């Protein structure tokens, strides 16, 4: 009987010890978990800036640089020699084809033209009399033909003299603007001496040499945007005028000519310009700021902020258009992505969005201990 009582006592004591140790172990785990949670809550949040992924239109473009050229430019020359007597057009003046630019002293040409006209008139009278005599069979056919041929020669001489006199007035061959005046009053010119340069500003051309892999994406009529370093902040609209069907085997490029027609003469040939040709548009693309994207080892990712934590998300990129980039996979509408401060983040890092707030102040506030309850 005593042995039985002792056995029961031992069992009861063992049960009490096991229960006590079990309760002690459970209490320790709970305390450790609570401490861990409190430590996590006490970790200061890293200040970041963020933006929301939104739907917008995004265009695919090819961009390049070039120097503007005039579609038409004429080097005007003096058709006859002479001394410059008058200047009619200065640089910057808009002219039409046929407008007078300058005049040469024309006394000699005028006298030559008057003499040629007189000789021609005289020969016409002689031809008229010869015609009458020939019709009456009073002169031979050979004599009549000689007068007829002389008349033709004098007519050509008269026409040439009139043309030379007319050419003493130097005229613009095209519509455009006087780009250069190369002569002064009193200059003596030889025939074919250059006197003016006239440039047509409508349109201006931007010639690009594009890699052959873009040949299938570009075509005439596509819209283009042009800017010039000399005119900061201004953009001009143009279009692709033509494509060369031939790829240069030495450079692997083909020629693309963009045409722009600016109002007024704001742009000028020779200006260094930047050209973007739009070859495709996605109307309802999911986009984020370019600053949000991290690229490492050829892979792109963003940090998505959810419940105060930043989670790294791999993404697939589409078109890039200025500061916005299309995301084709890896994000959803309305996702908040980090745009500044990603370098300090890891997956699951606690963050505080501070758009428009001083980061230093926010960091100080975040470092303060939470108030006791």
């Amino acid at each position: 009987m005593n042995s039985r009582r002792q056995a029961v006592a031992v069992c009861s004591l063992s049960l009490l010890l096991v229960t006590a140790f079990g309760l002690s172990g459970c209490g320790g785990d709970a305390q450790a978990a609570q401490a861990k949670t409190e430590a996590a809550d006490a970790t200061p949040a890293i200040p970041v800036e963020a933006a929301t992924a939104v739907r917008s239109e995004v265009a695919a473009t090819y961009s390049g640089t070039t120097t503007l050229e005039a579609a038409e430019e004429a080097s005007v020359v003096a058709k006859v020699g002479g001394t410059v007597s008058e200047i009619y057009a200065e640089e910057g003046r808009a002219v039409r084809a046929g407008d007078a630019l300058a005049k040469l002293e024309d006394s000699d040409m005028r006298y030559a033209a008057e003499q040629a006209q007189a000789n021609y008139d005289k020969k016409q009278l002689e031809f008229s009399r010869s015609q009458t005599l020939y019709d009456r069979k009073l002169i031979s056919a050979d004599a009549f033909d000689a007068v007829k041929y002389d008349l033709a020669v004098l007519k050509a001489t008269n026409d040439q003299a009139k043309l030379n006199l007319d050419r003493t007035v130097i005229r613009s061959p095209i519509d455009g603007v006087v780009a250069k005046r190369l002569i002064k009053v009193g200059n003596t010119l030889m025939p074919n001496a250059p006197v003016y340069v006239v440039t047509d500003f409508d349109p201006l051309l931007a010639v690009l040499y594009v890699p052959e892999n873009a040949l299938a994406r570009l075509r005439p009529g596509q819209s283009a945007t042009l800017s010039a370093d000399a005119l900061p902040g201004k953009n001009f609209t143009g279009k692709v005028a033509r494509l060369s069907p031939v790829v240069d085997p030495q450079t692997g490029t083909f020629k693309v000519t963009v045409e722009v027609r600016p109002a007024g003469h704001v742009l000028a040939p020779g200006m260094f310009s930047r050209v973007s040709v739009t070859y495709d548009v996605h109307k309802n693309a999911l986009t984020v700021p370019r600053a949000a994207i991290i690229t490492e080892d050829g892979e792109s990712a963003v940090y998505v902020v959810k419940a105060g934590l930043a989670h790294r998300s791999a993404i697939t990129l589409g078109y890039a258009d200025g500061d916005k980039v299309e995301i084709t996979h890896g994000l959803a509408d309305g996702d908040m992505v980090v745009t500044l401060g990603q370098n300090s983040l890891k997956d699951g890092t606690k963050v505080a969005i501070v758009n428009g707030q001083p980061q230093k102040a926010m960091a100080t506030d975040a470092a303060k201990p939470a108030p006791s309850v």
Side-chain angles (χ1 to χ4, degrees), residues 60-357:
T61 61
Y62 175 83
S63 299
T65 59
T66 187
T67 300
L68 292 179
E69 303 175 7
E72 292 187 14
E73 185 172 84
S75 179
V76 186
V77 300
K79 296 294 186 180
V80 295
T83 301
V84 179
S85 61
E86 295 182 67
I87 297 292
Y88 298 141
E90 295 292 348
E91 293 170 348
R93 175 183 165 183
V95 294
R96 307 287 292 179
D99 284 355
L101 304 177
K103 189 177 186 336
L104 305 180
E105 203 284 324
D106 64 355
S107 298
D108 291 342
M109 298 291 184
R110 187 168 60 255
Y111 297 148
E114 291 173 356
Q115 183 179 7
Q117 183 67 51
N119 290 335
Y120 177 62
D121 291 343
K122 179 181 177 181
K123 186 58 70 173
Q124 275 190 311
L125 291 174
E126 183 180 345
F127 175 77
S128 181
R129 290 194 296 268
S130 297
Q131 180 74 58
T132 301
L133 293 174
Y134 179 72
D135 291 341
R136 295 179 181 180
K137 308 296 184 181
L138 297 177
I139 61 173
S140 66
D142 289 343
F144 176 70
D145 288 343
V147 174
K148 182 171 66 173
Y149 295 143
D150 288 345
L151 178 64
V153 170
L154 289 177
K155 182 180 183 303
T157 302
N158 184 44
D159 290 343
Q160 183 64 57
K162 289 180 178 178
L163 180 61
N164 288 341
L165 178 61
D166 181 69
R167 284 176 170 175
T168 59
V169 178
I170 300 171
R171 302 180 184 277
S172 174
I174 63 171
D175 295 347
V177 176
V178 176
K180 294 180 182 179
R181 175 170 65 85
L182 306 174
I183 57 172
K184 298 178 181 179
V185 172
N187 289 164
T188 299
L189 306 179
M190 298 295 290
N192 297 317
V195 290
Y196 279 91
V197 175
V198 178
T199 301
D200 184 3
F201 282 65
D202 188 18
L204 291 175
L205 304 179
V207 178
L208 302 173
Y209 291 90
V210 179
E212 59 182 306
N213 57 14
L215 182 59
R217 298 195 294 266
L218 301 181
R219 61 184 181 275
Q222 288 174 330
S223 63
T225 302
L226 182 145
S227 63
D229 286 1
L231 302 168
K234 293 186 177 181
N235 291 323
F236 304 89
T237 301
K239 66 176 181 179
V240 176
R242 52 187 176 272
L243 306 177
S244 171
V246 178
V247 175
D248 185 341
Q250 300 297 323
T251 63
T253 61
F254 65 100
K255 182 179 177 181
V256 178
T257 302
V258 175
E259 181 181 280
V260 60
R261 297 177 182 270
H265 297 152
V266 181
L267 296 175
M271 280 186 174
F272 183 79
S273 62
R274 306 175 190 278
V275 184
S276 296
V277 179
T278 301
Y279 59 83
D280 194 14
V281 176
H282 288 173
K283 297 288 187 181
N284 191 35
L286 183 64
T287 63
V288 298
R290 186 186 293 268
I293 297 171
I294 304 168
T295 302
E296 294 178 355
D297 300 327
E299 295 183 352
S300 298
V302 293
Y303 278 99
V304 180
V305 179
K306 294 182 179 180
L309 301 179
H311 301 280
R312 186 182 176 97
S313 177
I315 56 172
T316 303
L317 304 181
Y319 292 155
D321 186 359
D323 289 335
K324 59 186 178 181
V325 179
E326 179 186 17
I327 308 300
T328 59
H329 180 73
L331 282 184
D333 290 25
D335 279 351
M336 185 74 71
V337 296
V338 177
T339 58
L340 182 63
Q342 304 98 312
N343 294 336
S344 302
L345 304 181
K346 294 181 179 180
D347 192 42
T349 301
K350 185 178 179 181
V351 295
I353 299 175
V354 296
N355 291 20
Q357 302 179 38

